[in-house]
Amino acid sequence: MRSIVVVLSLLASFIFAEEPISESKPEFVWPIQGLDLPALITSTFGESRKDHFHNGLDISSVLQPVKSMSQGFILYSRYAEDDPFEEERGSGNIVWVAHKSGYVSGYYHLGGTRNETVRTGKQVSAGDTIGISGNTGHSTGGHLHFVLGKDYGKTLLDPLAYLPPVEDTMPPQIANLFIHVGENFTNLNDGDNINVSKAFPLTVSIIDGGIKNSQRRGVKDVKFLFNGEAYKQANFSSLRFEEGKWKTIEGHSFDDLFFKDRYLVGVLNLKAGENVIKVQTKDFSGKESERSFSINITRISGGN
């Protein structure tokens, strides 16, 4: 991913070398149109992907026209037809578009072959068709994964903050709190009594249903309070590549925020007696949820 960003940064900056980067942003349109988008958004920006952040937005669709999100130039494309003997890459067939003011957009898992616009590298307008959605690359079902970046790709953005709003009726659901001991984990309920000998990772399951319970999407903000004091906060509006890692605006890397595919509260040294962990979260439409877990701890010898 880092090498692609470097290449795109150089290409886009060359294309727009005569234009200074302004603070104004282009008008963006949805790359998939004419479908029930609120029901088809399956994954959001900043979610856990086992060992890395999800860097874009997923829309479930197959063989639907994929539109350029804004005016720009075809920056880069790669299709299986370029080298049919090469092992298929995770992103599958892919097209990148460079926009004004240093923005770029990427479209993954495309089906079919290049259309004329992409093949000739012409300028595109917002809403021009640049491909069709498919199921190429490492994809378990037909969908479009699309990415939005600025500073010529050095910063990745949450597309939901730049696209026209879509319906979202459900607040985030804060489900279970877990304590992890080695490869094992235990669900902690509010009011539970447990014995500990040292600090262990604590994680929490948080999902956003969007418009239906079957949707299991990530959240925009999360904040953890430990015994009444702010412990950790993260916002998933953008990611920037720094010191060899993608990081949130607060400087958190993936490993700071996720553990075993859940949100990482922290490796907490729970004190003897009552410990209260409060979780506050907000989804991409601004709906908020809060939940507290009170855990009673008995310290046993053998730990710090």
Side-chain angles (χ1 to χ4, degrees):
M1 179 63 190
R2 176 56 179 164
S3 60
I4 286 290
V5 170
V6 171
V7 171
L8 296 179
S9 174
L10 292 172
L11 287 173
S13 59
F14 175 78
I15 289 173
F16 293 114
E18 301 299 320
E19 296 188 19
I21 298 177
S22 67
E23 292 301 318
S24 62
K25 63 183 180 182
E27 293 293 325
F28 291 105
V29 301
W30 281 90
I32 297 285
Q33 300 175 12
L35 299 178
D36 184 15
L37 288 178
L40 298 177
I41 297 174
T42 56
S43 297
T44 49
F45 184 80
E47 294 180 8
S48 169
R49 284 298 180 270
K50 301 295 183 183
D51 59 0
H52 64 278
F53 293 111
H54 189 239
N55 69 358
L57 197 66
D58 289 350
I59 299 177
S60 178
S61 62
V62 180
L63 303 181
Q64 292 294 318
V66 172
K67 312 289 187 177
S68 175
M69 294 173 64
S70 187
Q71 180 185 11
F73 292 88
I74 301 298
L75 177 60
Y76 171 79
S77 67
R78 186 190 68 236
Y79 273 69
E81 65 194 41
D82 298 335
D83 188 348
F85 300 103
E86 180 184 34
E87 183 178 352
E88 191 171 38
R89 302 189 187 186
S91 53
N93 298 335
I94 183 173
V95 172
W96 281 88
V97 179
H99 310 288
K100 292 183 178 181
S101 302
Y103 289 86
V104 294
S105 59
Y107 312 81
Y108 294 18
H109 309 302
L110 299 175
T113 60
R114 285 181 181 85
N115 67 13
E116 184 65 19
T117 299
V118 174
R119 187 161 44 247
T120 57
K122 293 180 179 179
Q123 183 175 351
V124 294
S125 298
D128 283 355
T129 298
I130 56 174
I132 59 173
S133 57
N135 191 29
T136 59
H138 297 170
S139 171
T140 57
H143 75 286
L144 172 68
H145 171 95
F146 63 99
V147 179
L148 179 63
K150 68 176 183 179
D151 302 334
Y152 304 126
K154 298 174 186 176
T155 299
L156 300 180
L157 304 168
D158 166 29
L160 285 174
Y162 292 79
L163 290 165
V166 294
E167 182 183 16
D168 185 336
T169 59
M170 302 179 66
Q173 303 170 51
I174 303 170
N176 304 103
L177 179 70
F178 301 91
I179 186 169
H180 297 256
V181 181
E183 294 300 314
N184 300 315
F185 61 88
T186 301
N187 179 25
L188 298 178
N189 297 304
D190 187 35
D192 273 358
N193 299 279
I194 63 171
N195 301 328
V196 298
S197 60
K198 61 180 182 179
F200 292 105
L202 271 75
T203 63
V204 64
S205 176
I206 308 172
I207 58 172
D208 178 42
I211 64 169
K212 53 186 180 180
N213 283 322
S214 61
Q215 290 177 304
R216 305 178 67 83
R217 311 187 308 202
V219 295
K220 181 178 181 179
D221 287 283
V222 65
K223 182 177 182 180
F224 303 116
L225 292 87
F226 180 41
N227 291 332
E229 296 184 1
Y231 182 78
K232 183 195 296 181
Q233 185 169 2
N235 178 276
F236 296 98
S237 294
S238 65
L239 295 169
R240 188 168 180 84
F241 197 80
E242 297 177 347
E243 300 174 337
K245 296 181 179 180
W246 289 99
K247 295 184 179 181
T248 66
I249 192 171
E250 301 87 1
H252 297 308
S253 68
F254 177 84
D255 291 335
D256 296 327
L257 297 175
F258 292 100
F259 184 74
K260 302 297 184 183
D261 224 24
R262 301 189 183 98
Y263 292 91
L264 175 64
V265 179
V267 181
L268 300 183
N269 203 358
L270 301 170
K271 66 177 184 178
E274 184 185 37
N275 291 260
V276 178
I277 296 168
K278 180 180 288 187
V279 182
Q280 299 173 335
T281 188
K282 182 187 300 184
D283 68 15
F284 293 87
S285 68
K287 293 181 175 59
E288 300 180 357
S289 294
E290 178 179 294
R291 184 175 178 182
S292 292
F293 299 86
S294 176
I295 310 298
N296 297 304
I297 299 298
T298 298
R299 298 287 303 197
I300 58 178
S301 60
N304 50 13

